[in-house]
Amino acid sequence: MGTRLRMLISAVILASWVLSASEAHYHTHRHHRLEDVALTEEIDVRAQRNKRATDDSYALLPADTPDDSGSMPPVGDPSDLPTCLLCVCLTGSVYCEEVDPDMTSVPALPKETNYLYARYNKIKKITAKDFGDIVTLKRIDFTGNIISEIEDGAFSKLTMLEELSLAENQLVKLPILPAKLVSFNANHNKLRTKGIKANAFKKLNKLAHLYLAHNELEAVPFIPETVRTLHLQNNNISSLTVDTFCKSNDTYYIRPNMNEIRIDGNPVNLGQYPNSFICLQSLPIGRYQ
């Protein structure tokens, strides 16, 4: 009997202890959950405050604040940009070919530029100031522009210039050309005889290649004796004289340098002017009947 009583008392005591421990664990767990919920709510509140503050700061930006949305700035006049951003600049050479946006005037060149290639642009005019400080130029190519005017003296300071191309433009007259030119190309313009002065090529004692094809010339201009290649095809030349290539007062005169003359595509019948070629080593290309 005593033993059973002791076992019963022990069971009651153990049950009470288990119940107390479970209740303590429940209260501890609930306390931690309440702390977690409170912390989460505080984080949410802070996040909402930060969002409102950020939105307010954007709303208060001044009207001229730059927008980084990726919109491109408007395209301006290419003349406002440095030449070497519009063109390709290598040592002594500047390549400005088919510039976009359109290039309508001669670009400012770096000092000591030797070669300028400004082909197939929309250049309209060459002024006396365009090459004022660039005396080192040896070659200039303006092929394929819309040049209709070249001011007097535009090339006067270019004492080293050897090659000049003004082909495929809208010129009606030629400017004074540099004395050291070796090659001059004015093919495909609107040149007429009255637009070329009588002494335009007379002082060019180094000129070897002269291209005046596809113009509106009515007569052959004075050609220096140094010229080896002469292209006059597709003009309006209708006649020649003995003095066009030879010398009427010197029947023994021989023109040794000229080895290529093209006069094809003109109204002139070369067969009617045999004495005009007597001093040449080869006959011009053209119509002989």
Side-chain angles (χ1 to χ4, degrees), residues 64-278:
D64 59 350
T65 299
D67 182 8
D68 294 332
S69 60
S71 60
M72 296 298 292
V75 176
D77 187 342
S79 63
D80 294 336
L81 296 174
T83 298
C84 292
L85 287 181
L86 291 170
C87 310
V88 176
C89 297
L90 302 175
T91 304
S93 300
V94 178
Y95 298 86
C96 302
E97 303 192 353
E98 298 182 276
V99 174
D100 185 21
D102 291 341
M103 176 177 286
T104 58
S105 59
V106 178
L109 299 176
K111 289 186 176 180
E112 300 183 0
T113 299
N114 299 129
Y115 307 100
L116 170 63
Y117 302 90
R119 296 180 288 203
Y120 304 104
N121 291 294
K122 296 294 172 54
I123 298 173
K124 302 176 182 178
K125 181 179 180 180
I126 300 175
T127 71
K129 297 180 181 179
D130 288 334
F131 303 111
D133 299 326
I134 314 298
V135 297
T136 55
L137 280 163
K138 296 180 179 179
R139 180 186 300 159
I140 297 175
D141 193 342
F142 283 122
T143 298
N145 282 273
I146 53 175
I147 300 169
S148 60
E149 181 183 357
I150 301 176
E151 290 184 359
D152 290 336
F155 305 119
S156 61
K157 295 183 180 180
L158 304 182
T159 57
M160 299 177 64
L161 192 66
E162 297 179 348
E163 298 180 37
L164 175 60
S165 178
L166 300 171
E168 299 177 40
N169 280 282
Q170 299 179 12
L171 293 172
V172 296
K173 65 177 184 177
L174 293 181
I176 298 174
L177 299 171
K180 292 186 178 180
L181 274 185
V182 174
S183 177
F184 177 65
N185 188 342
N187 286 343
H188 293 277
N189 276 275
K190 299 179 180 180
L191 294 171
R192 304 188 70 175
T193 298
K194 66 179 181 180
I196 300 178
K197 296 179 180 179
N199 60 349
F201 307 112
K202 191 172 185 178
K203 296 182 179 180
L204 306 186
N205 54 18
K206 292 188 177 181
L207 188 64
H209 309 285
L210 179 58
Y211 305 99
L212 298 172
H214 299 276
N215 280 283
E216 300 173 15
L217 299 176
E218 300 90 356
V220 179
F222 174 84
I223 308 299
E225 292 192 14
T226 54
V227 171
R228 298 200 300 269
T229 305
L230 176 63
H231 286 188
L232 294 168
Q233 67 268 27
N234 297 308
N235 277 280
N236 292 325
I237 299 170
S238 58
S239 63
L240 300 175
T241 69
V242 177
D243 292 311
T244 300
F245 302 111
C246 305
K247 295 181 179 181
S248 58
N249 59 355
D250 186 356
T251 55
Y252 296 98
Y253 171 74
I254 298 296
R255 194 170 191 133
N257 296 316
M258 189 171 289
N259 52 34
E260 181 182 332
I261 305 175
R262 289 193 59 181
I263 313 182
D264 48 308
N266 284 275
V268 62
N269 181 353
L270 300 181
Q272 296 179 355
Y273 305 95
N275 292 333
S276 298
F277 320 124
I278 197 169

